[in-house]
Amino acid sequence: MEDFLSDDDYYDSGRDSLDGLENEDSGPQWVPSKGPTCKVITKESLLAAQREDLRRVMELLSLREHHARTLLIHHRWDVEKLFAVLVEKGKACLFKEAGVSIVEHRDLDAPPPPTVMCDICIEDVPSGETTKMECGHCFCNSCWTEHFIVKINDGQSKRIKCMAHKCNAICDESVVRNLVSKTNPDLAEKFDRFLLESYIEDNKRVKWCPSTPHCGNAIRIEDDQFCEVECSCGSQFCFSCSSEAHSPCSCLMWELWVKKCRDESETVNWITVHTKSCPKCHKPVEKNGGCNLVSCICGQAFCWLCGGATGRDHTWSSIAGHSCGRYKADREKKAERAKRDLYRYMHYHNRYKAHTDSFKLESKLKGTIQEKVSILEEKESKLRDFSWVNNGLNRLFRSRRVLSYSYPFAFYMFGDELFKDEMTNEEREIKQNLFEDQQQQLEANVEKLSKFLEAPFNQYDVDKVMETRMQVINLSGITDTLCQKMYECIENDLLGPLQLGIHNIAPYRSKGIERASELSVCWGDKVNNSGKPLPPHCGSTADPLLMLGGTTESDQPSGSGSSDETGYAPRKRAKTNVPGGGRFDLNLPADVVDRN
Amino acid sequence: MIDFARVQKELQECSKDVEGSGIRVAPKSDATLARLVGTIPGPIGTPYEGGTFQIDITLPDGYPFEPPKMQFSTKVWHPNISSQSGAICLDILKDQWSPALTLKTALLSVQALLSAPQPDDPQDAVVAQQYIKQHQTFVSTAQYWTETFAKASSRGIEEKVQKLVEMGFPEAQARSSLESVGGDENLALEKLCSG
Ligand SMILES: [Zn+2]
Ligand SMILES: [Zn+2]
Ligand SMILES: [Zn+2]
Ligand SMILES: [Zn+2]
Ligand SMILES: [Zn+2]
Ligand SMILES: [Zn+2]
Ligand SMILES: [Zn+2]
């Protein structure tokens, strides 16, 4: 299986839900890590996460924080893109587009007149009660305040523009905060929260965890947004659509499938295909025989094809005194088609449902199997390592999910709804055979694996336990390979050649869905003067799996599915770690830091 | 709360320049400044030329920090104005509103919209289609609507209202009594005098 294990199959998260999956039989293959790719952002680390990006922009462009924030919000917190625009279009353009104005106002030196006419309330106001924004527009404080309140209440905190007509400048957030808090401290707080949450809501690399009730976390990914992640609260989801993890189904396919299963359109279809309402009493009547004359319990006979009332006198091909004209063939075709579609859907849905139902029983199965393991462990025996049981079980769960979601995938891949015009019938048939062959192989092996794991191996003698062990290890390897191949087939042979590039699928991860690790933020040391992006996880504690890397798998305790707490970075790092003064304290609100 | 002091100033400012701009704004009734009526002349060289168009104005609580709501009460055939309801599709009445704009500048923008329709961002899809595909038909329909709904009687009434105002009656009252007697100046005067 070496040939398809690429670096991507490994990631060095100590909280991997499938820890210790590979055992000595398949050979441990510790590949150099490329760093964790997704992070949990908690309520506590949100500010720090945001300030990390703010600081990069502030340092590179020598900006004040609110300007950096305005730029970042405009570019949806995509620092790389912001830098690219800077290189491509220059500073002036970058600033103008985002509404950042850094202009020196000469007239600041001149003594201000005693009163200023505010163009909004059309009153003469003492100069001291007015505020000039950086764009140079000056209005009275009470007008500014009123403007800010309306905008914050309107959900526009992130981009409050100057009041002057056609002035694109974004108001200085500290001015907003100061003026609003004088009359409306609650709203000022709301404003700060909006600014903070913009880091999540306007950021294409960050998404709220979709758990309900909400765990309060968000997940940040490094590069590929087509991935599946697990939040520290345990909820697993598709990063790109925020619904349950559904690969190898694409997001669009999944959305359609969920809708299809929810709508009872199919049942409605069934009724229209199989019944017709009686022209006399309007009860639905099922067609009972081969001929097209049906009769209702009320005694009325009617023509199945057009629904019109008729007499009872009929032959196979005609009903006495009745002819239903030109729609006959068409109607028949339509009915046939609806019936075919329905059966097709039922075929895929039944299989999808069977596997979904199985993995809903996972935790129960896990419990009973763990009982068997503890019975075996208590026995005086030369068998000590039972990690294969858990590994096999995790493999079973993983593969069942793949299988389950492969049915809605196939439903759309080979149906008419999405790709009708993209494949000829022959092409489609070839592809379908290829896919179904793989699907069947996977299904057969998954069932076998399941059978071995559910067997009462705790009652077996040593030789038979050893044999079960071999089978489970083998089948685990095979199903892993088959899952991998199925994803490859989908990517390369099925979706790859198609025109529509909208069906992206999260890559297969042999070890299961990646669990996001706690965000660790770079601390004050090594100030990044070069302007280069900071390395992805400097300052984090040593990665637990890197530490494990040198040891062999069999040293791990068996039967402890995941090692949740080991090597887990503390939630907040002590402030005392920061040497010297003048550093950012990332636990303090932005304005407090600015004041220091 | 609506900044009524500012509204009052806006009305004064606007009335100083009626000769120049042709734009009028007046309260609908004496009861409140929150409901107003704006009047704009149809721009010259357009199918609206010669017409006088009335616009209902409602000020939201947040005025001038929130945009005024404006709607034609005179029927008008224009891609960005609903031929049914008179609703106007204009950016400065929505997200491009700025508190530095006034009712007068907003009405000027509405007038500019009459001269420069934007069929790509239509309020009335039927009119917009006609504007693009059968422009000549559009022009004659717009002219016909101007003729029928924005001229003669209504212009006559404007003049009569003005006369009564000059005689010292409040504009809104003058207008409503004229309306109630079908436009007869003498009857309206009698009515105003009697109570
Ligand atoms: Zn003011
Ligand atoms: Zn400005
Ligand atoms: Zn969560
Ligand atoms: Zn998705
Ligand atoms: Zn019946
Ligand atoms: Zn029969
Ligand atoms: Zn028939």
Side-chain angles (χ1 to χ4, degrees):
Chain A
M1 54 198 281
E2 274 81 351
D3 54 358
F4 59 81
L5 283 172
S6 68
D7 291 16
D8 293 345
D9 299 313
Y10 290 91
Y11 52 91
D12 52 1
S13 160
R15 311 181 58 230
D16 185 345
S17 45
L18 285 176
D19 260 353
L21 188 78
E22 308 301 329
N23 37 59
E24 73 269 41
D25 300 86
S26 56
Q29 306 182 19
W30 293 110
V31 190
S33 80
K34 60 168 192 182
T37 58
C38 60
K39 299 285 188 189
V40 181
I41 298 174
T42 59
K43 280 194 191 92
E44 290 77 18
S45 59
L46 173 56
L47 185 62
Q50 189 178 52
R51 291 187 64 88
E52 194 181 314
D53 284 352
L54 283 173
R55 206 181 53 175
R56 283 173 65 187
V57 174
M58 286 160 73
E59 278 168 6
L60 181 78
L61 292 161
S62 323
L63 285 177
R64 286 174 59 203
E65 179 175 297
H66 77 275
H67 287 136
R69 195 192 316 275
T70 302
L71 285 177
L72 277 163
I73 289 176
H74 185 77
H75 288 286
R76 303 186 65 81
W77 294 93
D78 189 338
V79 183
E80 310 309 322
K81 194 177 143 231
L82 191 155
F83 288 170
V85 172
L86 174 70
V87 171
E88 198 185 307
K89 298 181 176 171
K91 209 165 171 174
C93 186
L94 177 74
F95 286 5
K96 190 162 173 273
E97 279 177 2
V100 170
S101 47
I102 304 169
V103 194
E104 295 303 320
H105 291 289
R106 295 270 167 252
D107 58 1
L108 282 177
D109 309 330
T115 63
V116 176
M117 158 89 153
C118 170
D119 277 346
I120 306 297
C121 56
I122 323 184
E123 302 273 0
D124 283 321
V125 188
S127 286
E129 288 166 32
T130 64
T131 299
K132 182 177 261 177
M133 215 49 81
E134 286 158 309
C135 52
H137 293 118
C138 181
F139 301 104
C140 83
N141 287 347
S142 70
C143 283
W144 277 123
T145 309
E146 206 50 49
H147 175 63
F148 298 151
I149 289 172
V150 165
K151 292 293 172 187
I152 296 169
N153 282 328
D154 203 23
Q156 295 184 42
S157 299
K158 295 168 218 162
R159 290 186 62 79
I160 302 182
K161 284 198 198 160
C162 167
M163 285 195 283
H165 183 42
K166 290 195 169 154
C167 177
N168 206 27
I170 303 296
C171 296
D172 184 335
E173 64 190 48
S174 59
V175 174
V176 178
R177 195 177 291 121
N178 284 340
L179 286 180
V180 173
S181 60
K182 275 179 198 149
T183 58
N184 236 325
D186 289 354
L187 202 63
E189 231 167 75
K190 200 165 145 192
F191 170 73
D192 276 331
R193 208 174 56 241
F194 278 137
L195 284 191
L196 201 57
E197 290 184 351
S198 141
Y199 183 74
I200 294 170
E201 272 145 22
D202 303 328
N203 193 330
K204 74 176 187 347
R205 281 168 49 223
V206 182
K207 287 240 168 88
W208 288 113
C209 166
S211 56
T212 42
H214 188 223
C215 63
N217 295 343
I219 303 291
R220 185 178 77 191
I221 50 149
E222 284 314 317
D223 33 39
D224 186 11
Q225 64 155 320
F226 297 103
C227 64
E228 293 168 337
V229 291
E230 184 182 319
C231 176
S232 56
C233 74
S235 110
Q236 297 186 332
F237 64 100
C238 167
F239 187 83
S240 82
C241 72
S242 292
S243 57
E244 67 178 89
H246 54 67
S247 74
C249 218
S250 75
C251 295
L252 176 59
M253 290 171 174
W254 182 245
E255 192 194 326
L256 292 170
W257 181 257
V258 169
K259 201 161 158 277
K260 195 173 187 72
C261 295
R262 201 187 318 123
D263 292 355
E264 279 179 319
S265 64
E266 299 300 339
T267 12
V268 174
N269 245 340
W270 191 88
I271 291 175
T272 52
V273 169
H274 296 273
T275 70
K276 248 190 193 96
S277 58
C278 164
K280 189 174 165 196
C281 70
H282 305 290
K283 278 203 185 88
V285 181
E286 216 172 317
K287 184 174 170 174
N288 36 20
C291 80
N292 286 321
L293 182 89
V294 285
S295 44
C296 174
I297 44 168
C298 75
Q300 177 66 50
F302 62 97
C303 167
W304 176 255
L305 297 174
C306 70
T310 64
R312 305 199 146 263
D313 199 10
H314 71 287
T315 65
W316 269 106
S317 52
S318 67
I319 301 170
H322 177 83
S323 72
C324 48
R326 44 183 207 218
Y327 296 112
K328 186 171 163 175
D330 200 44
R331 272 169 188 280
E332 236 169 359
K333 236 202 237 155
K334 242 191 206 153
E336 272 314 304
R337 217 196 125 92
K339 199 153 125 193
R340 213 183 55 222
D341 286 351
L342 175 67
Y343 288 149
R344 185 166 182 276
Y345 167 72
M346 277 160 53
H347 167 89
Y348 286 99
H349 188 262
N350 288 343
R351 280 156 187 78
Y352 158 75
K353 186 127 191 332
H355 290 292
T356 313
D357 289 347
S358 303
F359 71 63
K360 277 184 187 144
L361 299 172
E362 272 177 9
S363 55
K364 203 176 144 227
L365 182 62
K366 203 164 185 164
T368 52
I369 287 185
Q370 241 133 36
E371 260 169 50
K372 287 192 270 186
V373 170
S374 20
I375 292 172
L376 275 178
E377 276 171 340
E378 273 164 32
K379 279 187 188 170
E380 208 45 57
S381 155
K382 53 187 179 200
L383 289 172
R384 300 216 163 271
D385 177 17
F386 294 101
S387 59
W388 58 271
V389 180
N390 265 304
N391 294 339
L393 205 54
N394 286 330
R395 179 58 59 211
L396 175 69
F397 296 160
R398 180 87 200 107
S399 316
R400 267 221 200 281
R401 285 186 156 76
V402 172
L403 253 183
S404 156
Y405 297 115
S406 77
Y407 283 102
F409 167 81
F411 178 79
Y412 289 107
M413 185 72 225
F414 308 115
D416 287 340
E417 208 164 318
L418 294 176
F419 304 114
K420 192 176 198 282
D421 305 323
E422 295 220 40
M423 288 181 277
T424 63
N425 282 342
E426 293 74 41
E427 274 175 329
R428 184 187 352 221
E429 210 181 304
I430 294 168
K431 287 181 173 188
Q432 186 163 2
N433 287 338
L434 178 77
F435 182 77
E436 281 177 357
D437 181 52
Q438 291 194 358
Q439 203 180 26
Q440 277 157 22
Q441 277 188 51
L442 178 58
E443 193 148 47
N445 282 288
V446 165
E447 294 313 334
K448 258 195 235 162
L449 179 59
S450 159
K451 210 184 90 213
F452 277 109
L453 285 166
E454 286 181 61
F457 56 79
N458 53 317
Q459 294 157 26
Y460 294 171
D461 59 35
V462 174
D463 287 347
K464 208 162 170 211
V465 172
M466 282 307 280
E467 205 209 302
T468 305
R469 174 176 170 277
M470 272 315 294
Q471 290 283 7
V472 167
I473 290 170
N474 271 339
L475 288 166
S476 297
I478 292 169
T479 53
D480 185 24
T481 312
L482 286 170
C483 286
Q484 176 80 30
K485 285 205 166 135
M486 181 184 271
Y487 276 65
E488 277 169 8
C489 166
I490 288 172
E491 200 180 326
N492 302 332
D493 304 324
L494 302 181
L495 290 175
L498 300 178
Q499 296 293 312
L500 279 163
I502 52 168
H503 293 275
N504 290 290
I505 287 166
Y508 177 63
R509 302 188 75 97
S510 178
K511 296 186 133 197
I513 289 173
E514 177 172 359
R515 193 180 273 196
S517 55
E518 196 81 359
L519 182 81
S520 50
V521 186
C522 294
W523 291 79
D525 44 32
K526 279 185 240 151
V527 170
N528 188 22
N529 290 324
S530 62
K532 282 192 201 115
L534 298 165
H537 65 286
C538 64
S540 69
T541 49
D543 262 308
L545 267 197
L546 282 180
M547 301 192 320
L548 276 176
T551 67
T552 57
E553 277 289 284
S554 48
D555 289 337
Q556 279 198 300
S558 61
S560 66
S562 56
S563 48
D564 272 358
E565 298 307 321
T566 49
Y568 192 15
R571 259 181 187 269
K572 271 190 191 173
R573 300 189 51 191
K575 298 175 203 167
T576 49
N577 285 358
V578 185
R583 304 285 191 214
F584 288 127
D585 182 345
L586 298 172
N587 288 314
L588 289 176
D591 52 338
V592 177
V593 177
D594 280 346
R595 259 180 261 137
N596 290 343
Chain B
M1 261 328 276
I2 300 175
D3 183 348
F4 287 116
R6 165 167 149 159
V7 178
Q8 202 73 62
K9 282 177 193 147
E10 277 195 49
L11 296 184
Q12 282 166 16
E13 203 54 43
C14 190
S15 65
K16 278 187 208 160
D17 186 38
V18 173
E19 296 305 309
S21 64
I23 297 207
R24 295 170 202 276
V25 187
K28 241 186 167 167
S29 73
D30 289 340
T32 171
L33 281 177
R35 310 259 306 164
L36 307 141
V37 178
T39 312
I40 55 172
I44 295 164
T46 69
Y48 312 102
E49 180 175 345
T52 302
F53 297 86
Q54 290 209 349
I55 291 159
D56 270 337
I57 303 171
T58 308
L59 301 182
D61 264 358
Y63 186 82
F65 302 97
E66 288 171 33
K69 293 186 174 70
M70 294 191 173
Q71 193 164 13
F72 273 84
S73 54
T74 308
K75 281 172 89 67
V76 54
W77 191 253
H78 185 284
N80 307 100
I81 299 158
S82 165
S83 56
Q84 302 289 318
S85 66
I88 309 166
C89 179
L90 184 63
D91 59 354
I92 62 143
L93 294 178
K94 292 169 195 162
D95 54 331
Q96 293 303 309
W97 171 256
S98 142
L101 293 169
T102 61
L103 295 173
K104 186 181 158 190
T105 51
L107 287 169
L108 280 168
S109 300
V110 172
Q111 195 187 29
L113 185 68
L114 288 181
S115 356
Q118 289 149 14
D120 299 334
D121 180 24
Q123 171 77 42
D124 194 308
V126 178
V127 185
Q129 277 304 306
Q130 196 191 58
Y131 182 88
I132 297 165
K133 291 185 176 153
Q134 303 155 271
H135 195 73
Q136 218 26 65
T137 319
F138 163 79
V139 171
S140 36
T141 314
Q143 270 165 350
Y144 178 75
W145 279 47
T146 306
E147 209 61 48
T148 316
F149 303 113
K151 268 190 186 167
S153 61
S154 69
R155 188 169 53 177
I157 281 188
E158 271 328 298
E159 279 163 7
K160 290 171 195 164
V161 168
Q162 213 44 48
K163 249 188 203 167
L164 291 170
V165 169
E166 277 155 22
M167 291 162 90
F169 296 104
E171 180 171 342
Q173 254 171 286
R175 193 181 299 281
S176 66
S177 47
L178 268 167
E179 272 165 16
S180 69
V181 295
D184 188 310
E185 237 169 305
N186 295 324
L187 285 177
L189 186 60
E190 242 171 64
K191 205 168 181 256
L192 284 166
C193 291
S194 66

